[in-house]
């Protein structure tokens, strides 16, 4: 590959000691000292003058001068009240700078103000990428800049997300990102954890939403998402292999699903310490063309507060199912209770009838015992027909070992 050499840089390299910048045509460069986020973020009079909640995102700034900066202790409410303001240019994006960051400013038309009669307003666009970091790009002479923040703290372990050819990545300041990417290979080398399918080609799309990146201490490398180490992840794949680790769970031999790391068709994979699916007003519906699998290394618990839990199929098996083992149908509880109740009543009647038999001459049948035996025999004969009917006491849908 030929090397492109840029010429005419002498005037830049000879002044390497400072920025020597000139604002772009029609632009100003401003340094942010406060951002209106709520009534506590700026002095009360500034809050009211900028419309309260209608002024969210407005910055208080000074025109940037790299060699001049007020001491931190002088950045008081009185100082902030003297600063000019600028509105965010884009109404549909809430990405506001932090105090100390540098922004581009431009004067553009605005809605006419009934109070000031202004028809122009100063707007700011994006934060200037001074440190090439998604976390913070402030320029401070003093180091105790954290005095300007209410809740923001820099994470010394933070690393930006690594990008690959063609990627579009949106990064937050706190180790969260959305990647619109693809499979990435160089020859036989897999550049990302999701590019290990040997039959896959480059440029198959993938979307990754990742939160709480698993940064390694004292590691200066750019970060690549890891579904097993990040706090919470959503992967929308095409033909990638997603290297999700599910521990020692063994997949069912009944439906024989494709292994987690063997599946190479489009799928949605969610992984977190805890996953909740909730429906506020209507059902939660789960469909699977070939099966629905539920696995847990602990108990599986189901509860219904109203109707109850219904399992419906031609056959329902409880316990480990194996075609080589003989399964037994479950007993129908109400029918069994009715059968046993009748049997106990018949035995009770029989025992009552023979508890005090009357003596008769030898060789003569005791009438009380004979009558009781006939009654018990008749009951048993009638109910033997029910026992011969397998559907009377046994379920024809639910089985166990």
């Amino acid at each position: 590959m030929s090397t492109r050499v840029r010429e005419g840089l002498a005037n830049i390299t000879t002044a390497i000691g400072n920025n020597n910048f000139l604002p772009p045509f029609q632009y100003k460069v401003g340094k942010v000292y406060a951002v209106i986020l709520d009534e506590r973020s700026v002095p009360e009079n500034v809050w009211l003058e900028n419309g309260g909640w209608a002024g969210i995102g407005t910055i208080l700034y000074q025109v940037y001068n790299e060699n001049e900066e007020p001491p931190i202790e002088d950045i008081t409410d009185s100082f902030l009240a003297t600063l000019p303001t600028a509105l965010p240019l884009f109404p549909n994006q809430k990405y506001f700078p932090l105090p100390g960051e540098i922004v581009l400013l431009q004067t553009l038309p605005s809605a006419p103000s009934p109070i000031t009669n202004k028809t122009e307003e100063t707007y700011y666009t994006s934060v200037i990428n001074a440190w090439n970091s998604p976390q913070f790009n402030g320029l401070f002479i003093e180091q105790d800049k954290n005095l300007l923040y209410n809740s923001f703290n820099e994470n010394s372990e933070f690393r930006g997300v690594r990008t690959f050819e063609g990627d579009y990545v949106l990064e937050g300041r706190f180790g969260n990102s959305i990647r619109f990417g693809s499979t990435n290979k160089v020859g036989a080398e897999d550049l990302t954890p999701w590019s290990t399918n040997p039959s896959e080609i480059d440029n198959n799309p993938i979307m990754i939403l990742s939160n709480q990146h698993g940064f390694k201490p004292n590691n200066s490398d750019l970060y690549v998402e890891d579904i097993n180490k990040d706090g919470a992840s959503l992967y929308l794949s095409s033909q990638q292999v997603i290297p999700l680790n599910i521990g020692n769970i063994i997949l069912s031999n009944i439906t024989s699903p494709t292994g987690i790391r063997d599946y190479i068709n489009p799928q949605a994979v969610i992984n977190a310490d805890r996953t909740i699916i909730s429906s506020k007003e209507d059902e939660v519906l789960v469909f699977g063309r070939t099966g629905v699998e539920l696995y847990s290394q602990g108990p599986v618990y189901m509860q219904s507060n109203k109707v109850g839990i219904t399992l419906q199929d031609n056959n329902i098996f409880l316990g480990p199912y194996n075609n080589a083992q003989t399964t037994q149908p479950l007993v129908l509880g109400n029918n069994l209770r009715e059968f046993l109740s009748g049997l106990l009543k018949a035995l009770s009647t029989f025992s009552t009838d023979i508890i005090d038999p009357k003596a008769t001459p030898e060789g003569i049948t005791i009438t009380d015992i004979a009558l009781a035996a006939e009654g018990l025999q008749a009951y048993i004969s009638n109910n033997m027909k029910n026992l011969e009917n397998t559907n009377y006491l046994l379920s024809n849908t639910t089985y166990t070992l």
Side-chain angles (χ1 to χ4, degrees):
M1 178 183 296
S2 62
T3 302
R4 183 174 63 180
V5 179
R6 296 190 64 183
E7 298 178 349
L9 302 180
N11 61 332
I12 296 178
T13 57
T14 55
I16 197 68
N18 54 52
N19 291 346
N20 281 338
F21 78 97
L22 292 175
F25 179 67
Q26 292 186 338
Y27 279 98
K28 294 186 295 185
V29 176
K31 184 170 185 176
V32 179
Y33 284 93
V35 183
I36 297 180
L37 299 176
D38 56 34
E39 64 271 22
R40 297 173 299 177
S41 57
V42 292
E44 182 180 4
N45 62 318
V46 175
W47 169 259
L48 296 175
E49 289 172 1
N50 287 275
W53 292 106
I56 295 300
T58 300
I59 63 170
L60 282 62
Y61 71 93
Q62 271 189 335
V63 174
Y64 178 61
N65 186 326
E66 60 184 318
N67 296 316
E68 294 182 8
E69 179 179 287
I72 294 293
E73 60 270 17
D74 289 347
I75 304 177
T76 62
D77 283 358
S78 298
F79 169 79
L80 294 177
T82 67
L83 297 179
T85 60
L87 295 171
L89 179 62
F90 301 109
N92 61 331
Q93 296 181 18
K94 299 296 188 291
Y95 179 65
F96 304 142
L98 288 168
E101 293 187 318
I102 312 301
V103 295
L104 282 178
L105 304 166
Q106 191 170 22
T107 300
L108 296 168
S110 69
S113 170
I115 299 175
T116 64
N117 295 320
K118 290 197 311 182
T119 58
E120 292 183 335
E121 187 63 77
T122 301
Y123 299 89
Y124 68 90
T125 55
S126 178
V127 173
I128 294 176
N129 193 19
W131 296 106
N132 197 25
S133 169
Q135 181 179 209
F136 181 69
N137 283 283
L139 295 177
F140 281 100
I141 297 174
E142 299 188 39
Q143 296 302 313
D144 52 353
K145 56 185 179 297
N146 286 332
L147 295 174
L148 295 177
Y149 307 135
N150 292 321
S151 61
F152 176 76
N153 290 290
E154 283 190 85
N155 178 3
S156 61
E157 305 297 339
F158 179 90
R159 298 293 178 268
V161 171
R162 181 181 174 185
T163 56
F164 301 90
E165 288 185 345
D167 282 356
Y168 175 34
V169 178
L170 298 175
E171 287 191 72
R173 299 181 188 266
F174 308 101
N176 37 24
S177 62
I178 302 176
R179 180 191 297 271
F180 299 86
S182 69
T183 299
N184 304 105
K185 297 174 179 286
V186 176
E189 180 184 1
D190 302 321
L191 299 182
T192 63
W194 56 84
S195 301
T196 59
N197 177 6
S199 61
E200 189 185 12
I201 61 174
D202 286 339
N203 299 327
N204 280 332
I206 188 170
M207 287 180 57
I208 300 175
L209 191 155
S210 177
N211 187 56
Q212 195 180 40
H213 293 162
F215 300 125
K216 296 179 181 178
N218 304 317
N219 187 350
S220 61
D221 294 340
L222 292 176
Y223 190 74
V224 178
E225 300 91 329
D226 187 324
I227 194 171
N228 298 304
K229 295 180 180 179
D230 295 342
S233 304
L234 168 61
Y235 282 58
L236 303 178
S237 71
S238 50
Q239 291 182 313
Q240 293 83 8
V241 172
I242 307 302
L244 177 65
N245 181 10
I246 61 170
N248 58 1
I249 292 178
I250 299 175
L251 300 183
S252 169
N253 62 356
I254 300 176
T255 56
S256 299
T258 303
I260 301 296
R261 299 191 179 206
D262 299 322
Y263 195 81
I264 57 173
N265 290 324
Q267 60 180 325
V269 181
I270 302 175
N271 191 39
D273 289 350
R274 183 176 182 178
T275 303
I276 298 175
I277 301 175
S278 175
S279 175
K280 294 189 298 182
E281 297 293 339
D282 217 314
E283 295 90 352
V284 173
L285 306 177
V286 179
F287 298 96
R289 181 177 290 274
T290 60
V292 175
E293 319 275 335
L294 296 177
Y295 298 92
S296 173
Q297 293 180 339
V300 176
Y301 175 75
M302 293 185 292
Q303 175 183 339
S304 173
N305 290 330
K306 293 185 178 180
V307 178
I309 297 173
T310 301
L311 300 177
Q312 179 178 342
D313 202 338
N314 292 332
N315 292 298
I316 299 173
F317 296 93
L318 304 178
Y321 173 78
N322 190 324
N323 286 325
Q325 295 176 296
T326 301
T327 58
Q328 299 188 44
L330 299 187
V331 173
L332 302 178
N334 288 337
N335 290 359
L336 178 62
R337 181 177 61 181
E338 180 183 349
F339 174 79
L340 293 177
S341 176
L343 178 60
L344 290 175
K345 287 179 181 178
L347 291 174
S348 176
T349 300
F350 176 75
S351 64
T352 299
D353 291 343
I354 68 173
I355 196 170
D356 187 24
K358 305 300 182 182
T360 58
E362 184 177 352
I364 302 301
T365 301
I366 300 177
T367 304
D368 293 341
I369 294 178
L371 292 175
E374 287 177 3
L376 179 60
Q377 182 64 42
Y379 174 83
I380 292 174
S381 297
N382 290 334
N383 281 274
M384 283 298 295
K385 297 178 181 178
N386 289 332
L387 291 179
E388 292 171 358
N389 179 6
T390 58
N391 294 331
Y392 177 66
L393 288 181
L394 302 179
S395 169
N396 59 7
T397 61
T398 308
Y399 299 85
T400 188
L401 294 178

